[in-house]
């Protein structure tokens, strides 16, 4: 085992070996340490305690049904104003057809998110889910960020619980983790001023967990936030997880500047990506899964991330419109499995709840 030379890092090293919880100062020190190899070994130790070499992936398909959005977040290159020539929206039938073709291709999950559409109310999303239930009955539907749920509730003048109950009745199976960005008022004011705040994001996920719905949590990093703000974001998630246990995976999303109003920024370095993945594994001791979303991390960096604490790679994805991905957006199951094997780990196919998929 590689041992740290810096005394404060040695203190953290002992805490992790003793299974003790890390705090804000520990997280900040880990994000800044030069001894990245120690950080990586620590995160890998914790990952192996929980999962050994098992590395999860899912045969899924992402569907982004509209880029129309009433918000204008500075990190986003996907949203379009309703009048823009390249504004798009998929009809309910289009979405159902994509889900059906995904199921035929072997997918067990569709992951659907979109912009905050100016007019679609609850009924539209209910019809979308019902149409998927009919066209692809075996597919799990993971859909709608907390921001979308709150937007639908506002437009439809309903409570969060009423919206979630109706969506579940129509076929919603779980919530993805998007829309969290960075839980901090300063960053909120600078980069996504008109979006709902952290309290609302937590209200949606808390309500979902109380209803027995599982969800994920994300953090969009590498734009205008500070390391301390990243750590606070993760600790707030840890707090809710202590109370509800409803989160399945934490997904650190690496900011891709291209096409966004923040395109003058560099975005995180690969090293910063690795530090962030590793620190999330160490701070989020009550999250089972840390996901390296290869669309943003690239397949090669994901291989490193899998040795720095991550245990999940998301999936085959097929098409992804929110960012321009360096490796494209589709990967075959064999390539995904090979990517995992190449770094000495064991590929394990999963369903949306980390169980073996039906029929396996
Ligand atoms: O909320 C937007 C992010 C999110 C950019 O739950 C960007 O398993 C990087 O949440 N660069 C949506 N990120 C995607 C998402 C997600 C993805 C994969 C898996 C899961 C899961 C959830 O994408 C948004 C926002 O935070 N985003 N623009 C960008 N330029």
């Amino acid at each position: 085992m590689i041992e740290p030379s810096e005394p404060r890092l040695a203190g953290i090293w002992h805490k992790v070996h003793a299974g003790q919880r890390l705090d804000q100062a520990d997280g900040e020190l880990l994000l800044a340490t030069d001894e990245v190899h120690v950080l990586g070994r620590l995160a890998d130790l914790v990952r192996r305690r929980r999962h050994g070499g098992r590395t999860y992936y899912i045969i899924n398909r992402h569907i982004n049904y509209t880029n129309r959005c009433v918000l204008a977040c500075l990190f986003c290159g996907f949203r379009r104003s309703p009048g823009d020539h390249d504004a798009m929206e998929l009809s309910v039938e289009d979405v159902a057809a994509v889900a059906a073709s995904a199921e035929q291709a072997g997918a067990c999950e569709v992951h659907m998110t979109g912009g905050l559409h100016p007019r679609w109310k609850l009924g539209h999303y209910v019809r979308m889910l019902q149409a998927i239930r009919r066209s692809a009955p075996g597919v799990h539907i993971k859909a709608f960020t907390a921001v979308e749920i709150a937007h639908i509730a506002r437009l439809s003048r309903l409570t969060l619980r009423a919206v979630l109950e109706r969506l579940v009745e129509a076929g919603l199976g779980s919530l993805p983790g998007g829309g969290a960005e960075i839980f901090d008022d300063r960053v909120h004011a600078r980069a996504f001023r008109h979006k709902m705040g952290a309290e609302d994001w937590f209200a949606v996920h808390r309500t979902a967990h109380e209803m027995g719905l599982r969800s994920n949590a994300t953090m969009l990093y590498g734009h205008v936030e500070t390391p301390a703000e990243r750590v606070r974001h993760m600790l707030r998630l840890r707090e809710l997880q202590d109370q509800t246990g409803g989160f399945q995976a934490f997904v650190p999303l690496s900011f891709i500047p291209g096409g966004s109003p923040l395109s003058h920024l560099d975005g995180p370095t690969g090293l910063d990506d690795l530090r962030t993945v590793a620190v999330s594994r160490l701070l989020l001791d009550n999250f089972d899964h840390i996901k390296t979303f290869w669309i943003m991390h690239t397949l090669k960096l994901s291989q490193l991330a899998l040795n720095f604490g991550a245990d999940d790679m998301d999936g085959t994805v097929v098409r992804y419109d929110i960012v321009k991905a360096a490796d494209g957006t589709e990967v075959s199951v064999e390539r995904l499995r090979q990517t995992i094997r190449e770094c000495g780990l064991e590929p394990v196919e999963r369903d949306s709840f980390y169980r073996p998929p039906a029929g396996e």
Side-chain angles (χ1 to χ4, degrees), residues 37-150:
H37 49 295
V38 174
L39 170 62
R41 294 322 292 164
L42 276 181
D44 192 53
L45 173 87
V46 174
R47 177 239 209 262
R48 282 175 190 276
R49 269 187 202 150
R50 225 180 244 272
H51 301 291
R54 288 188 304 285
T55 301
Y56 300 93
Y57 69 93
I58 185 166
I59 305 183
N60 67 353
R61 169 129 195 194
H62 284 244
I63 306 175
N64 304 124
Y65 37 75
T66 185
N67 60 5
R68 289 179 200 265
C69 189
V70 298
L71 297 175
C73 304
L74 295 189
F75 56 76
C76 181
F78 171 64
R79 60 94 45 194
R80 292 291 179 274
S81 297
D84 286 346
H85 70 95
D86 50 354
M88 72 86 183
E89 58 190 43
L90 299 180
S91 67
V92 164
E93 295 72 30
D94 289 339
V95 172
V98 176
S101 76
E103 187 176 41
Q104 276 151 28
C108 69
E109 173 188 279
V110 288
H111 174 161
M112 308 197 302
T113 54
L116 302 193
H117 193 282
R119 285 185 315 281
W120 289 351
K121 292 198 179 136
L122 178 59
H124 181 89
Y125 296 91
V126 166
R127 283 191 293 282
M128 197 189 276
L129 293 169
Q130 289 169 336
I132 297 172
R133 277 281 65 87
R134 283 191 300 271
S135 71
V139 153
H140 174 99
I141 308 173
K142 169 178 160 192
F144 315 131
T145 63
V147 186
E148 291 178 272
I149 300 288

Side-chain angles (χ1 to χ4, degrees), residues 13-323:
W13 193 88
H14 286 298
K15 269 184 164 178
V16 172
H17 277 80
Q20 287 167 17
R21 196 158 245 205
L22 303 186
D23 61 19
Q24 175 78 27
D26 296 331
E28 289 180 34
L29 187 135
L30 289 171
L31 276 180
T33 184
D34 287 338
E35 296 180 60
V36 183
H37 49 295
V38 174
L39 170 62
R41 294 322 292 164
L42 276 181
D44 192 53
L45 173 87
V46 174
R47 177 239 209 262
R48 282 175 190 276
R49 269 187 202 150
R50 225 180 244 272
H51 301 291
R54 288 188 304 285
T55 301
Y56 300 93
Y57 69 93
I58 185 166
I59 305 183
N60 67 353
R61 169 129 195 194
H62 284 244
I63 306 175
N64 304 124
Y65 37 75
T66 185
N67 60 5
R68 289 179 200 265
C69 189
V70 298
L71 297 175
C73 304
L74 295 189
F75 56 76
C76 181
F78 171 64
R79 60 94 45 194
R80 292 291 179 274
S81 297
D84 286 346
H85 70 95
D86 50 354
M88 72 86 183
E89 58 190 43
L90 299 180
S91 67
V92 164
E93 295 72 30
D94 289 339
V95 172
V98 176
S101 76
E103 187 176 41
Q104 276 151 28
C108 69
E109 173 188 279
V110 288
H111 174 161
M112 308 197 302
T113 54
L116 302 193
H117 193 282
R119 285 185 315 281
W120 289 351
K121 292 198 179 136
L122 178 59
H124 181 89
Y125 296 91
V126 166
R127 283 191 293 282
M128 197 189 276
L129 293 169
Q130 289 169 336
I132 297 172
R133 277 281 65 87
R134 283 191 300 271
S135 71
V139 153
H140 174 99
I141 308 173
K142 169 178 160 192
F144 315 131
T145 63
V147 186
E148 291 178 272
I149 300 288
H151 179 65
I152 298 167
R154 213 172 299 123
L155 272 188
S156 313
R157 297 176 190 278
L158 290 167
T159 62
L160 297 175
R161 181 175 274 267
V163 168
L164 286 168
E165 281 175 352
R166 197 68 197 88
L167 294 173
V168 169
E169 204 177 284
L172 178 69
S174 61
L175 293 181
E181 321 318 356
I182 290 282
F183 302 131
D184 180 87
D185 290 346
R186 184 195 72 82
V187 182
H188 185 263
R190 277 202 63 191
F192 44 96
R193 194 157 17 126
H194 300 295
K195 198 170 215 155
M196 73 184 198
E199 296 311 325
D200 293 324
W201 191 95
F202 279 102
V204 172
H205 284 265
R206 182 187 290 281
T207 307
H209 296 174
E210 285 167 1
M211 291 168 49
L213 262 187
R214 309 301 303 271
S215 70
N216 286 345
T218 58
M219 173 176 77
L220 177 67
Y221 65 92
H223 44 96
V224 301
E225 87 290 358
T226 64
E229 287 160 351
R230 270 186 221 179
V231 174
R232 268 196 293 279
H233 179 99
M234 292 188 258
L235 294 186
R236 287 190 70 173
L237 290 170
R238 188 171 79 180
E239 209 176 299
L240 180 62
Q241 180 73 334
D242 274 343
Q243 294 163 18
T244 67
F247 290 120
Q248 299 204 103
F250 176 68
V251 194
L253 295 172
S254 182
F255 172 54
I256 312 281
S260 80
L262 292 179
S263 60
H264 56 282
L265 299 182
D266 290 331
T269 61
L271 192 58
D272 197 13
D273 287 326
L274 290 181
R275 287 177 193 280
T276 306
V277 169
V279 170
S280 72
R281 169 59 81 192
L282 293 171
L283 287 179
L284 296 175
D285 53 11
N286 52 5
F287 276 65
D288 275 343
H289 302 284
I290 303 293
K291 184 182 287 190
T292 168
F293 188 45
W294 65 267
I295 294 280
M296 290 165 194
H297 278 159
T298 74
L299 285 167
K300 272 186 187 289
L301 194 97
S302 283
Q303 289 183 313
L304 290 170
L306 292 175
N307 284 289
F308 267 68
D311 63 284
D312 182 17
M313 283 195 77
D314 200 76
T316 43
V317 180
V318 180
R319 186 187 163 118
Y320 196 75
D321 293 322
I322 296 180
V323 297

